[in-house]
Amino acid sequence: MAKSSDRSSKMFIIYFLRFIARGLILLSAVYLYVFHRSMFISVLTNEFFHRFTPLHVIWFTLMLGMIAHLLPNTKITMSGLKCQPVTYREPEDGYDKLSLLEYVQAMNIRAWRVLLIWLCFNAVFGILCLSGIISNVELVMLSLCYYVCDLICMLFFCPFQKYMMGNRCCVNCRIFDWGHMMMYTPMIFIPGFFSWSLLFTALFVMIRWELVYARHPERFWRGSNDSIRCENCSDRMCRIKKPLVSEIDKIASSMPRPVDKLGISAEELDKEFEE
């Protein structure tokens, strides 16, 4: 048991280190914001290609993070990998397609509700910017705060999971690859290469995710994909943020469920997490 736990903790450690790295990036941006505000202004205008600045390093790092989600990559969690055909494992006993449809419909409603609330929330900052109360620089800082909050949601607490989506964990999250779009939503109000290159790449990541979801919803539900069931999870990202058991999750609980390699059934895992 301990040996398996050691192996499964590696992904958590990787993402915790990424969380620290994102925090350092945010702190660097805060330093530039306070002491070199003019640098922000120049990069956010047409001077992006005129001279190299530390903000170009931040831009490259942000862009690289999105590209990693578009390429075959084993260094990300099953939360993102589940959309790929190579990770899909259909249950040996099959699955109920009607239950899958019920799950998809319920999660779609919740997903679009999240999108509406998020856009309305960020519209407030857009109005403040258009009114001259805040500037483009503050919107960039807001995006970088979201950049850090994205991993807070993965590792510690996710309000979207708790109050709106009701998914069991990030591995079972319907909107996992919406994260980039949500990070760069404030960029809508900042015309320029720095902002819109990040925004449109994030939208591409999200659209690609939605197209796969529409064509292969079975990859996204633990009732029809053994790879994202707790008993088969090798990520164990839920070391701090424990899995959420909700009404929508009980659809999958009604499916036949195997015993894992350690001899622990999924039902026993559910009971352990609930306690």
Side-chain angles (χ1 to χ4, degrees):
M1 179 77 72
K3 189 175 181 180
S4 174
S5 177
D6 290 340
R7 289 197 303 268
S8 65
S9 67
K10 290 181 179 178
M11 188 61 69
F12 178 86
I13 293 173
I14 289 173
Y15 272 79
F16 191 83
L17 292 175
R18 289 181 180 178
F19 169 68
I20 294 175
R22 290 191 182 190
L24 292 175
I25 290 173
L26 176 60
L27 290 176
S28 300
V30 170
Y31 172 82
L32 295 174
Y33 173 78
V34 174
F35 297 104
H36 301 280
R37 184 183 174 88
S38 60
M39 184 184 299
F40 272 92
I41 298 173
S42 64
V43 170
L44 292 177
T45 58
N46 296 328
E47 297 183 21
F48 182 85
F49 297 103
H50 290 185
R51 64 190 180 97
F52 183 80
T53 70
L55 283 173
H56 288 77
V57 178
I58 294 177
W59 175 88
F60 179 77
T61 303
L62 300 178
M63 187 65 70
L64 195 62
M66 290 186 283
I67 293 174
H69 281 250
L70 296 173
L71 300 176
N73 185 359
T74 59
K75 298 301 182 182
I76 63 175
T77 72
M78 184 58 68
S79 310
L81 291 176
K82 65 175 177 280
C83 70
Q84 300 180 11
V86 294
T87 61
Y88 176 65
R89 290 171 52 195
E90 182 176 346
E92 293 182 2
D93 298 330
Y95 60 90
D96 183 5
K97 293 186 177 180
L98 184 60
S99 294
L100 173 61
L101 178 61
E102 179 184 350
Y103 178 83
V104 168
Q105 290 177 335
M107 296 308 286
N108 280 346
I109 292 172
R110 297 182 183 207
W112 298 120
R113 186 183 302 156
V114 168
L115 182 61
L116 178 61
I117 292 173
W118 185 251
L119 292 177
C120 290
F121 175 74
N122 283 273
V124 174
F125 296 101
I127 293 172
L128 292 176
C129 182
L130 295 174
S131 302
I133 299 175
I134 62 175
S135 69
N136 291 348
V137 178
E138 281 70 43
L139 291 181
V140 173
M141 294 303 299
L142 179 62
S143 283
L144 291 174
C145 288
Y146 290 161
Y147 181 61
V148 175
C149 290
D150 179 59
L151 285 188
I152 291 178
C153 287
M154 285 191 65
L155 298 172
F156 305 109
F157 175 75
C158 179
F160 303 103
Q161 174 194 12
K162 177 71 175 179
Y163 301 114
M164 287 178 271
M165 293 302 298
N167 49 281
R168 184 175 181 81
C169 61
C170 285
V171 173
N172 290 268
C173 182
R174 156 73 175 84
I175 60 172
F176 179 78
D177 250 357
W178 285 22
H180 298 291
M181 179 279 298
M182 298 174 84
M183 289 179 215
Y184 306 123
T185 300
M187 301 290 191
I188 295 174
F189 306 99
I190 311 174
F193 182 83
F194 179 93
S195 54
W196 283 2
S197 60
L198 293 172
L199 174 63
F200 287 117
T201 303
L203 288 174
F204 182 80
V205 172
M206 177 185 175
I207 291 171
R208 175 246 194 183
W209 176 269
E210 287 301 305
L211 289 175
V212 175
Y213 185 85
R215 295 182 61 185
H216 302 285
E218 69 279 0
R219 299 177 188 173
F220 297 78
W221 180 43
R222 71 189 187 97
S224 55
N225 186 358
D226 276 354
S227 294
I228 58 175
R229 287 179 170 175
C230 285
E231 60 269 25
N232 298 320
C233 179
S234 60
D235 290 349
R236 293 292 188 240
M237 297 293 290
C238 52
R239 290 182 169 273
I240 297 176
K241 186 184 70 173
K242 298 303 181 183
L244 176 67
V245 178
S246 63
E247 290 300 318
I248 193 70
D249 195 58
K250 292 179 181 178
I251 299 175
S253 300
S254 64
M255 300 295 296
R257 304 173 72 186
V259 174
D260 73 351
K261 296 179 181 178
L262 298 175
I264 303 174
S265 69
E267 286 77 10
E268 291 172 327
L269 282 172
D270 286 345
K271 185 177 181 180
E272 178 183 344
F273 284 134
E274 288 174 3
E275 292 174 353

